[in-house]
């Protein structure tokens, strides 16, 4: 396995961000210092984040929370009214096929999670969840040597080898990417 964190890169951010968010350097310039990268806000549109980082859109790792009911693989999935949280890690250029997630889990039903479930579940996507969370990682992430994921705040990201990312997240590799005919 490779290192948990790659060198830091401070990137320029768009105008109008909250006070205290670093403005960074001109786009495309970086300062390595061995810590997680700070600068490209993960709440920007994926295309803006990829442009700020200087990577392909598919190298952005999306962390998406779904709710599942009636799965023999998920503890308590029949009792919880809001469903059991399931985190899907997906490349930034693709969409999740919810039916494929449902089949993968053997669930009766899977939907995008309500905001309340997302808030009570998430911590530092894709790691550090507040609750025990099943993690599915789409195999498309392995198409890259490096992917970029959220690092605990809306303004920090980090690069990581995708196999290491999936291992640290406790994820199971699956094929849940929406396929286009």
């Amino acid at each position: 396995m490779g290192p948990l964190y790659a060198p830091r890169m401070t990137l320029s951010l768009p105008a109008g961000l909250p006070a205290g968010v670093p403005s960074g350097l001109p786009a495309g310039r970086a300062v390595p210092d061995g810590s997680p990268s700070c600068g490209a806000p993960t709440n920007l549109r994926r295309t803006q984040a990829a442009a700020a980082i200087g990577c392909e859109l598919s190298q952005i790792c999306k962390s998406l929370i779904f709710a599942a009911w009636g799965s023999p693989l998920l503890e308590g999935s029949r009792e919880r009214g809001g469903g059991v949280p399931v985190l899907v890690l997906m490349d930034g250029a693709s969409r999740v096929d919810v039916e494929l997630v449902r089949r993968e889990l053997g669930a009766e039903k899977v939907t995008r999670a309500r905001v309340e479930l997302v808030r009570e579940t998430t911590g530092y996507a894709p790691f550090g969840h507040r609750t025990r969370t099943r993690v599915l990682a789409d195999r498309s992430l392995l198409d890259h040597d490096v992917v970029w994921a959220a690092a605990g705040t809306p303004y920090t990201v980090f690069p990581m080898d995708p196999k290491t990312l999936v291992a640290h997240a406790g994820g199971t590799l699956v094929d849940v990417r929406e396929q286009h005919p």
Side-chain angles (χ1 to χ4, degrees):
M1 281 197 207
L4 184 57
Y5 293 109
R8 172 184 174 156
M9 293 189 330
T10 304
L11 303 170
S12 59
L13 302 174
L17 292 173
V21 174
S23 60
L25 298 170
R29 296 184 56 198
V31 179
D33 74 357
S35 64
S37 300
C38 179
T42 58
N43 64 344
L44 288 178
R45 289 193 326 240
R46 294 177 316 275
T47 53
Q48 290 176 308
I53 293 166
C55 71
E56 294 178 34
L57 180 59
S58 59
Q59 285 181 273
I60 301 293
C61 177
K62 298 188 291 190
S63 298
L64 305 166
I65 300 288
F66 291 85
W69 292 266
S71 170
L73 302 175
L74 299 171
E75 193 174 305
S77 66
R78 293 192 190 281
E79 293 82 31
R80 290 188 55 143
V84 172
V86 176
L87 172 65
V88 177
L89 303 177
M90 175 62 68
D91 79 76
S94 299
R95 295 176 53 101
V96 174
D97 185 322
V98 178
E99 176 59 20
L100 292 177
V101 172
R102 187 195 67 74
R103 285 188 213 152
E104 189 66 41
L105 297 170
E108 294 169 6
K109 177 181 173 184
V110 172
T111 64
R112 289 294 298 258
R114 292 190 336 259
V115 69
E116 298 83 14
L117 183 61
V118 172
R119 285 187 182 137
E120 75 181 46
T121 301
T122 57
Y124 300 99
F127 317 119
H129 310 127
R130 294 183 178 130
T131 61
R132 187 168 172 236
T133 305
R134 174 79 185 258
V135 179
L136 302 177
D138 191 77
R139 205 171 305 281
S140 62
L141 292 170
L142 302 181
D143 292 345
H144 301 284
D145 292 333
V146 173
V147 294
W148 292 81
T153 78
Y155 304 101
T156 54
V157 296
F158 65 93
M160 184 177 273
D161 163 74
K163 289 179 185 173
T164 304
L165 177 86
V166 172
H168 281 290
T172 302
L173 280 173
V174 295
D175 293 304
V176 293
R177 179 172 40 170
E178 197 173 79
Q179 300 295 319
H180 300 285

